[in-house]
Amino acid sequence: MKKDAIKLTQYSHGAGCGCKIAPAVLDEILSAAGQMASFPGLLVGNEERDDAAVLDLGDGSAIISTTDFFMPIVDDPETFGQIAATNAISDVYAMGGKPLMAIAILGWPVNMLSAELAGIVVRGAQKVCHAAGIPLAGGHSIDTPEPIFGLAVTGRVQLDHIKRNRGAQVGDLLFLTKPLGIGIWSTALKLEKLLPGHSGIAETTMLQLNQIGERFGKIRGVHAMTDVTGFGLAGHLLEMCRASDVSAHIEVQKIPLLHPALFDYIRQGCVPAGSGRNFTGTQGEVLVEHPEWRDIVCDPQTSGGLLIAVDPDAADEMKSLLRAEGLPDVPIGSILEKGTPIIQFIVDGSNEV
């Protein structure tokens, strides 16, 4: 089969971070695993679902360690490798750190897809690692029923620059650095409903490194930070609110969207299964006034943006930095005293769909 005729998305049952295990099932797995043993110097483990683990080196800095991998979200093998690498490295940036090196994780159905295609996937990851200023230093591969690719990434951060999903404070403003809609867009592609003029839009966003997170780490007014991936904006904001013992109010008309056509694709049934799982995992704690906005805020993102809780006194500095990088600079909501529901997504009457 010719390389150009291969459609990688047809070889996987899910796409990108939409493959994530549902939050409720993950809770069951972690519960069965039991309490992780304490370890000297471990500053961040899995207690509050942070983006990466952090280990104190004893010299004022810490090592960041993370891994992320998934099945194809696009058909082109090199782009798949680039997106998977960009997504994995993002966890280091989400902690306010600087990546140091990466190693690859490759699962490949060798009887169905050629070794050459796998090499092209790895080549894509090498390009992203080069852009991030780090080596792709090796990895591990196995024969799997579906193609899987990702990275394990090591980074470093100064102790006073570590950002966690914990720490959001009442009055903080919430910023989101990338638009939502990746899961819906990729589902439209998989269902062959994506209009020709819409190809490449999602890839452009997914290939954008979240390098700005390292700079956010140095801003004292940034109280909490995480990246928005498989659990969607609603799920990752809920993790932030739970960890910080606060609530949040989001004005949906201020949320950056991949494209206005998202609503058309939702009406055509291009909603990933992960959206429903994500919503189920937030029921009782998240209020969304409109079902189509629910599909958007619960949409699983792949290589999504950073969600940042910022002291209002640091808002001008944040906006200036975002604007200089061409990123969305309008706050999408704010942090409130803890209440019920924990998060409210409010649809302005003038913006109903």
Side-chain angles (χ1 to χ4, degrees):
M1 185 180 293
K2 293 181 180 180
K3 183 185 74 172
D4 292 344
I6 294 290
K7 290 190 174 183
L8 286 182
T9 56
Q10 301 306 311
Y11 288 84
S12 60
H13 73 275
C17 289
C19 303
K20 268 191 174 182
I21 291 175
V25 179
L26 180 58
D27 287 339
E28 186 177 349
I29 292 171
L30 294 176
S31 177
Q35 182 70 32
M36 297 291 183
S38 60
F39 193 89
L42 183 64
L43 302 178
V44 183
N46 73 337
E47 301 86 359
E48 289 158 351
R49 309 289 175 81
D50 259 303
D51 296 293
V54 181
L55 185 71
D56 189 348
L57 292 176
D59 62 356
S61 70
I63 283 289
I64 301 172
S65 182
T66 184
T67 184
D68 212 320
F69 52 89
F70 47 64
M71 289 169 273
I73 191 169
V74 293
D75 290 322
D76 179 70
E78 184 168 319
T79 306
F80 170 42
Q82 290 176 295
I83 292 170
T86 304
N87 179 75
I89 296 170
S90 179
D91 287 341
V92 173
Y93 294 133
M95 303 297 293
K98 178 181 180 63
L100 298 176
M101 72 172 185
I103 55 176
I105 299 164
L106 174 69
W108 203 252
V110 294
N111 291 328
M112 292 187 291
L113 296 171
S114 71
E116 178 191 6
L117 284 176
I120 295 171
V121 172
V122 176
R123 185 175 70 198
Q126 288 175 325
K127 288 185 176 181
V128 169
C129 288
H130 178 75
I134 64 174
L136 181 55
H140 184 69
S141 59
I142 60 172
D143 185 359
T144 53
E146 297 175 289
I148 298 169
F149 185 74
L151 301 179
V153 188
T154 301
R156 193 164 187 170
V157 64
Q158 293 299 306
L159 294 181
D160 57 355
H161 294 166
I162 296 171
K163 301 303 180 185
R164 304 187 57 174
N165 64 5
R166 173 179 91 186
Q169 299 178 18
V170 174
D172 282 353
L173 300 176
L174 291 166
F175 291 84
L176 179 64
T177 64
K178 287 188 184 182
L180 299 184
I182 296 296
I184 294 164
W185 218 254
S186 61
T187 302
L189 171 67
K190 194 174 179 69
L191 296 178
E192 299 184 341
K193 294 183 177 181
L194 193 70
L195 296 176
H198 291 164
S199 62
I201 292 175
E203 288 88 335
T204 298
T205 295
M206 289 187 284
L207 291 173
Q208 184 178 14
L209 281 164
N210 283 326
Q211 288 173 304
I212 197 169
E214 183 183 352
R215 297 165 73 181
F216 291 157
K218 299 173 184 177
I219 299 176
R220 189 172 298 277
V222 172
H223 293 151
M225 183 161 63
T226 189
D227 63 348
V228 176
T229 56
F231 296 152
L233 173 61
H236 289 285
L237 178 55
L238 183 58
E239 288 181 339
M240 180 182 286
C241 287
R242 286 171 175 165
S244 306
D245 200 32
V246 295
S247 289
H249 175 281
I250 303 295
E251 298 176 62
V252 297
Q253 71 273 15
K254 294 182 178 179
I255 296 174
L257 299 181
L258 193 62
H259 195 279
L262 281 175
F263 297 103
D264 294 329
Y265 287 128
I266 290 171
R267 290 160 189 157
Q268 293 178 56
C270 301
V271 178
S275 296
R277 293 194 298 268
N278 287 340
F279 181 65
T280 299
T282 67
Q283 281 186 344
E285 297 179 294
V286 173
L287 172 66
V288 188
E289 291 184 344
H290 195 286
E292 291 179 352
W293 277 106
R294 180 195 66 200
D295 291 333
I296 289 174
V297 302
C298 293
D299 185 44
Q301 303 304 287
T302 299
S303 190
L306 299 173
L307 176 66
I308 315 113
V310 183
D311 189 304
D313 290 340
D316 287 343
E317 181 180 4
M318 174 65 65
K319 291 177 181 179
S320 177
L321 185 54
L322 290 167
R323 199 175 299 120
E325 295 297 322
L327 300 173
D329 64 347
V330 176
I332 63 171
S334 58
I335 297 295
L336 309 174
E337 294 278 359
K338 186 176 181 180
T340 303
I342 294 178
I343 305 172
Q344 294 187 62
F345 288 92
I346 304 302
V347 180
D348 185 285
S350 63
N351 197 54
E352 291 187 2
V353 294

